[in-house]
Amino acid sequence: MNDAFDRRLFLQGAVSLSTLMALGLPASAAADEGALSFGHVKPFSFGVLVDRARKSASEAYVPPEKPAPGITSKLTYEELGKIKFKTEDALWADGPAPFPVTFFHLGTFFQKRVTINVVDGPNAREIIYRKKSFDMPADSPAQAMPDGVGFAGFRFQEPRAGQVDWKKNDWVAFLGASYFRSIGELFQYGLSARGIAVNAADPNPPHQEEFPDFKEFWLEPVPNSTNQIRVYALLDGPSVTGAFSFLMTREKAVLMDIDAHIFTRNDINRFGLTPLTSMYWFSEQAKPTAIDWRPEVHDSDGLALWTGAGEHIWRPLNDVPSTTTSSFSDSNPRGFGLLQRDRNFDHYLDGVRYELRPSLWVEPLAPFGEGSVQLIEIPTNDEIHDNIVAMWVPKDPVKGGQSFNLKYRLHWAADEPFPSNLARCVATRLGNGGHPGTARPAGLRKFVIEFLGDALKSLPYGVKPEAVVTTGRGELSYIFTEAVPDGVAGHWRAQFDLLVDGPEPAELRCYLRNGEEVLSETWLYQYHPF
């Protein structure tokens, strides 16, 4: 997915279906300028949607329709940037739901038709695409687009009764394959979530990665709610189908309670549930000389895990030399997420506000069972590509004809929602190993890991925490801790040198303790010698 296109392009996007139906008006009554139009009334329920997905899994896969390819192929990034959905035509611009809905136009990067319906009680109607609901130049290729071709996706605007102008601000967007994202509590888009990941970065041919699509959506108001909305989605792909329910809450953080019923058509080698997708290029830990003028460029800087056994783990992200998958085996994890911990503008210096990118945490609402959190890191030389994936992968092989029901909550927030009382890792730094004024042996690397937190503030005067460091290969030396000389209470750093031979990565582990008392979360790192 072209992340630069996705993150920059959010089009502007209003007679309510409930109002039309209450008035007893047929769909054609909404066909005048300045209003949406709707298809025929059809019965709808989530149970029926689950049955539809289950039945579809036993049938041959039919790829989504790509209407008017001769037109969409001409709607490039630049051309789509000139097309704006008319906010006066937004669904629920006047109620009853608190969040008006605007729509994305089909184009070069998003050619697949997405059907979008609005739910009213036990019934639903399709929202019909009409080009007159979009502002576009007179010479735009989209002027030739016929009505009824569908949309590329949609987004929820901020509430009409909120403090910001809803016509200029949105908080959730569904666009492309099964991708969706939210601005979280810091009002900035960044990483994305997906409905499912199939054979992501699988090194075993012929298991090609698939990108199942949310091919149809249903939007439903939540009765008497001023901060919630519900979305249903039908997922379809060559090897999998699914029915998803999203209950989305607009609070300080954005919460999404997801109930997913997933059915497999074929065997799947790497079956990724609750997948999160982000971008990491470089940070303070290891940056090639003069690669870019900015100190850091990333949407997320680490993977956080809260294991079923209660351990808190922090794994900084890498820009790896080749595609790498790390697996963290667990049973019934309490949560995991891709976080942006560094919130200092001076560490980025960029107007796109990387320091405000949301963190995204997965909280199981029902046991996940046995499996692993898998972290996929893909090499990149630019910020336009999403090159990081974190997902839950069941332990047992996944065969065609299986079904899964997953219940979980996504927290789009500034930080993980359940922080521990332990000190947390706030920086990882690498440099040449050895002592000042002495020869620096080839292959010797120094690691400096900063920890900050209340558990370190309470240490008695003169007591130093112990750094417990282990490595999967190589030789450790010169291990010690010291207070960071910045006057900040509870700010310590652990240092050690590592000598390794050969290019294979080394798996490192470090935490701080005082006697038998654990003081910090566990730092994990995959070091790629260079």
Side-chain angles (χ1 to χ4, degrees), residues 293-296 342-350 355:
W293 64 271
R294 295 162 293 182
E296 301 185 41
D342 191 338
R343 296 295 182 188
N344 191 329
F345 170 78
D346 292 341
H347 293 180
Y348 303 95
L349 301 176
D350 197 316
E355 78 280 4

Side-chain angles (χ1 to χ4, degrees), residues 30-52:
D32 296 331
E33 183 72 31
L36 294 177
S37 60
F38 302 90
H40 297 294
V41 174
K42 296 181 180 180
F44 174 79
S45 71
F46 186 52
V48 169
L49 182 61
V50 172
D51 290 341
R52 180 177 168 185

Side-chain angles (χ1 to χ4, degrees), residues 68-194:
I71 299 174
T72 56
S73 63
K74 298 175 184 177
L75 293 175
T76 61
Y77 172 83
E78 290 77 16
E79 290 294 336
L80 272 181
K82 303 173 186 176
I83 300 175
K84 312 286 186 185
F85 190 85
K86 297 177 180 177
T87 52
E88 61 267 26
D89 278 13
L91 177 69
W92 300 326
D94 300 310
F99 309 107
V101 184
T102 58
F103 303 92
F104 293 101
H105 201 283
L106 295 167
T108 300
F109 295 99
F110 305 103
Q111 296 186 351
K112 299 174 184 177
R113 169 194 173 95
V114 174
T115 301
I116 303 173
N117 307 275
V118 60
V119 177
D120 188 23
N123 297 311
R125 277 184 169 182
E126 180 185 351
I127 303 169
I128 306 300
Y129 165 86
R130 297 183 312 139
K131 63 175 174 287
K132 64 174 60 177
S133 288
F134 291 87
D135 280 325
M136 61 181 71
D139 61 351
S140 172
Q143 290 287 359
M145 187 72 79
D147 286 346
V149 297
F151 302 95
F154 65 95
R155 63 180 183 174
F156 286 106
Q157 305 297 128
E158 292 282 20
R160 294 183 311 278
Q163 296 180 350
V164 299
D165 185 352
W166 70 262
K167 296 181 179 181
K168 298 178 180 179
N169 297 276
D170 57 299
W171 62 283
V172 169
F174 286 77
L175 179 66
S178 65
Y179 286 86
F180 57 98
R181 58 173 44 175
S182 175
I183 63 174
E185 66 181 280
L186 299 179
F187 299 91
Q188 181 74 32
Y189 281 107
L191 77 171
S192 300
R194 277 192 278 173

Side-chain angles (χ1 to χ4, degrees), residues 268-449:
I268 298 175
N269 195 54
R270 182 175 284 171
F271 189 56
L273 302 171
T274 72
L276 317 179
T277 303
S278 192
M279 180 275 293
Y280 175 89
W281 187 10
F282 59 85
S283 67
E284 77 276 337
Q285 66 198 33
K287 174 184 175 183
T289 302
I291 189 174
D292 191 86
W293 64 271
R294 295 162 293 182
E296 301 185 41
V297 175
H298 50 78
D299 285 338
S300 307
D301 52 11
L303 170 69
L305 304 126
W306 188 14
T307 71
E311 184 179 17
H312 288 265
I313 294 172
W314 176 250
R315 165 57 156 81
L317 298 178
N318 270 320
D319 180 22
V320 291
S322 60
T323 299
T324 303
T325 300
S326 301
S327 294
F328 307 90
S329 297
D330 203 355
S331 178
N332 295 322
R334 304 185 189 188
F336 69 92
L338 290 173
L339 309 186
Q340 184 79 312
R341 279 191 172 174
D342 191 338
R343 296 295 182 188
N344 191 329
F345 170 78
D346 292 341
H347 293 180
Y348 303 95
L349 301 176
D350 197 316
V352 300
R353 307 309 299 269
Y354 284 115
E355 78 280 4
L356 298 180
R357 299 301 165 99
S359 295
L360 182 51
W361 183 264
V362 178
E363 176 194 358
L365 298 180
F368 276 15
E370 292 189 84
S372 61
V373 175
Q374 295 194 1
L375 173 67
I376 299 172
E377 297 166 300
I378 302 170
T380 189
N381 60 3
D382 206 335
E383 64 201 277
I384 66 171
H385 306 293
D386 278 352
N387 63 320
I388 303 295
V389 178
M391 58 191 182
W392 176 254
V393 178
K395 178 182 178 181
D396 296 330
V398 174
K399 303 295 184 181
Q402 287 186 255
S403 63
F404 300 82
N405 180 210
L406 213 63
K407 291 181 171 65
Y408 59 101
R409 176 174 295 151
L410 295 181
H411 298 254
W412 304 79
D415 199 357
E416 59 190 277
F418 308 106
S420 75
N421 294 323
L422 299 172
R424 59 166 50 185
C425 176
V426 294
T428 301
R429 309 181 194 277
L430 279 67
N432 290 330
H435 302 270
T438 63
R440 304 296 179 101
L444 186 66
R445 185 66 58 195
K446 181 177 297 296
F447 290 81
V448 179
I449 310 154

